[in-house]
Amino acid sequence: HQLAIEAVKSVNSIDIKHDEVAFLALAERLGVPLLTYPADVLNAQTTPNPSEVVLSKLGVPSVGEAAAQVASGNGRLLLEKQKVTVASGKKHTLAVALDAAAERRGVVAIVGAGPGDASLISVKGKELLEAADLILYAGSLVPERLTHYAKPGAVVRNSASMTLEDQLHLMSAHYQRGHLTVRLHSGDPAIYGAIQEQMTAFDERGMDYFIVPGISAFQAAAASLNSEFTIPEVVQTIILTRGAGNTPLPPHEDLAEMARHRATMCIFLSATIAKRVQAQLEEHYPPDTPVAILYRVTWDDEEIYTGQLADLAALIREHKLTRTVLIVVGAAIGARKNRSQLYHPDWKHIFRTGKPAKVKKIKK
């Protein structure tokens, strides 16, 4: 079966076999422990080859397969139940499972690269890039500098020219080889990241995956504008949305209706329909509402333009902006007047009771 005898970690069976001479001798010969399990533990396993005969004699439908699964922590067997006859004529069954801790299984990490500045990726995201066997990145939106973290021998591919099917074919091939794949998306993958269709395909294929969040462009915008987007008594809500272009908005998410809230609105993917967006916003925001237009925020060629809502479309047209643009609208932009209650001297809570702090003296 092409399994190395030197790789055996333990011999395993049901507890009533704890003193079985053949099992003890085998464990001693291999230099591994003999581990046994009660019937209720074995019965909790789902095995491919249960036996009515074994159930009638031992109270469990499987010993070899179930014990291998329990000991390995792995439900998948390398070798299903085999019947063997030893020199004495006594018959035994055996099965083999791979220790889950030793198994290298494929996995896909969907990683947020951040808004553009390569140094804004998370520590976990960087570590995954350094360990990845395949890095598949959205080259038109993610800085190539991040791929320089790749280890020697890693495959690095730009997905800009690939269809979803092309990407899945490549990721599946690496997954089947037990590789770590990093699917590197701009910003935070959960915001306009087109990852839902990928996860659907992963689920259909039984592929393991997880998401590592990243800094979104709207968060980077607040930093670049030196602004807090939630100002006490002015605005406490942030709306992330887009205008209705080639991809229509759901009927209940009409931009003009959302403008009623006068929240801090961050509008993605809408530079080419700026005139329409401005008209919808002006239905409820005053014309002098502050606006900011951020092109490739945090990238080396970042451009930021500020003004009033009445000038939104003109600013975008004047600077010939068409893509990789975030529009921010709201009174929070550049606001400096209001104070929160969080650090007000009259505001008491469990960490700040208003009582003099006790100083603990350290004995010398």
Side-chain angles (χ1 to χ4, degrees):
H1 301 289
Q2 297 183 327
L3 298 173
I5 193 71
E6 296 83 3
V8 174
K9 183 179 180 180
S10 61
V11 176
N12 310 275
S13 189
I14 192 168
D15 55 4
I16 61 174
K17 299 286 186 178
H18 73 280
D19 57 356
E20 179 80 23
V21 174
F23 291 175
L24 290 169
L26 176 62
E28 183 179 2
R29 178 181 174 185
L30 297 176
V32 298
L34 170 63
L35 306 176
T36 59
Y37 307 95
D40 60 330
V41 173
L42 299 180
N43 277 326
Q45 302 300 307
T46 301
T47 58
N49 301 291
S51 168
E52 291 293 333
V53 174
V54 175
L55 179 62
S56 66
K57 291 183 177 180
L58 299 177
V60 295
S62 172
V63 174
E65 291 180 337
Q69 290 175 336
V70 173
S72 67
N74 194 340
R76 297 187 300 115
L77 296 170
L78 290 179
L79 182 67
E80 293 186 7
K81 181 172 68 175
Q82 305 288 309
K83 295 181 179 180
V84 296
T85 302
V86 297
S88 65
K90 194 169 185 179
K91 295 181 179 180
H92 295 283
T93 61
L94 66 87
V96 181
L98 179 63
D99 183 2
E103 182 179 17
R104 183 175 183 185
R105 299 184 62 183
V107 66
V108 179
I110 302 172
V111 176
D117 182 345
S119 66
L120 291 177
I121 193 169
S122 68
V123 172
K124 185 172 184 178
K126 176 178 175 289
E127 290 173 346
L128 287 166
L129 287 173
E130 292 171 335
D133 300 293
L134 167 66
I135 298 174
L136 186 60
Y137 73 107
S140 60
L141 300 170
V142 171
E144 184 182 350
R145 197 183 321 162
L146 284 175
T147 67
H148 297 173
Y149 290 125
K151 66 185 180 183
V155 176
V156 179
R157 288 286 304 274
N158 184 343
S159 65
S161 63
M162 302 171 70
T163 65
L164 174 62
E165 289 71 21
D166 293 336
Q167 296 169 33
L168 290 171
H169 178 76
L170 179 61
M171 289 189 285
S172 295
H174 279 269
Y175 186 92
Q176 290 166 9
R177 294 166 62 188
H179 286 178
L180 166 63
T181 292
V182 168
R183 182 65 177 102
L184 192 59
H185 282 267
S186 64
D188 184 279
I191 302 175
Y192 302 114
I195 63 172
Q196 179 265 148
E197 59 199 41
Q198 296 175 66
M199 294 189 293
T200 298
F202 296 154
D203 290 340
E204 291 171 349
R205 289 165 169 78
M207 294 170 63
D208 293 330
Y209 61 91
F210 60 93
I211 301 172
V212 178
I215 295 174
S216 174
F218 86 91
Q219 296 165 304
S224 292
L225 294 168
N226 288 327
S227 296
E228 178 185 348
F229 282 173
T230 52
I231 304 298
E233 301 178 40
V234 176
V235 58
Q236 292 289 284
T237 301
I238 301 171
I239 296 176
L240 309 180
T241 189
R242 60 176 295 171
N246 293 332
T247 302
L249 289 175
H252 57 278
E253 291 186 7
D254 180 72
L255 193 61
E257 286 301 309
M258 288 190 282
R260 287 181 182 274
H261 300 288
R262 289 197 186 177
T264 300
M265 191 176 292
C266 303
I267 307 171
F268 293 75
L269 308 167
S270 301
T272 58
I273 54 172
K275 186 175 181 180
R276 187 191 315 166
V277 167
Q278 177 180 327
Q280 291 175 302
L281 295 176
E282 285 180 331
E283 291 186 31
H284 297 288
Y285 285 96
D288 62 351
T289 301
V291 298
I293 302 155
L294 301 101
Y295 168 75
R296 288 169 62 87
V297 62
T298 77
W299 288 72
D300 292 339
D301 56 350
E302 172 190 77
E303 297 176 20
I304 299 176
Y305 306 98
T306 57
Q308 297 182 342
L309 177 57
D311 306 319
L312 173 60
L315 281 169
I316 289 178
R317 184 173 60 254
E318 175 186 351
H319 296 285
K320 299 181 173 59
L321 305 177
T322 57
R323 57 190 302 274
T324 327
V325 173
L326 177 67
I327 300 168
V328 183
V329 182
I333 298 173
R336 290 292 183 271
K337 294 181 180 179
N338 294 61
R339 176 174 178 170
S340 76
Q341 294 297 316
L342 183 60
Y343 297 109
H344 195 283
D346 294 334
W347 183 261
K348 308 295 188 298
H349 50 70
I350 60 173
F351 298 108
R352 193 173 66 243
T353 62
K355 298 178 181 178
K358 294 182 179 180
V359 179
K360 185 177 180 180
K361 295 183 178 179
I362 301 175
K363 295 181 179 179
K364 294 184 179 180

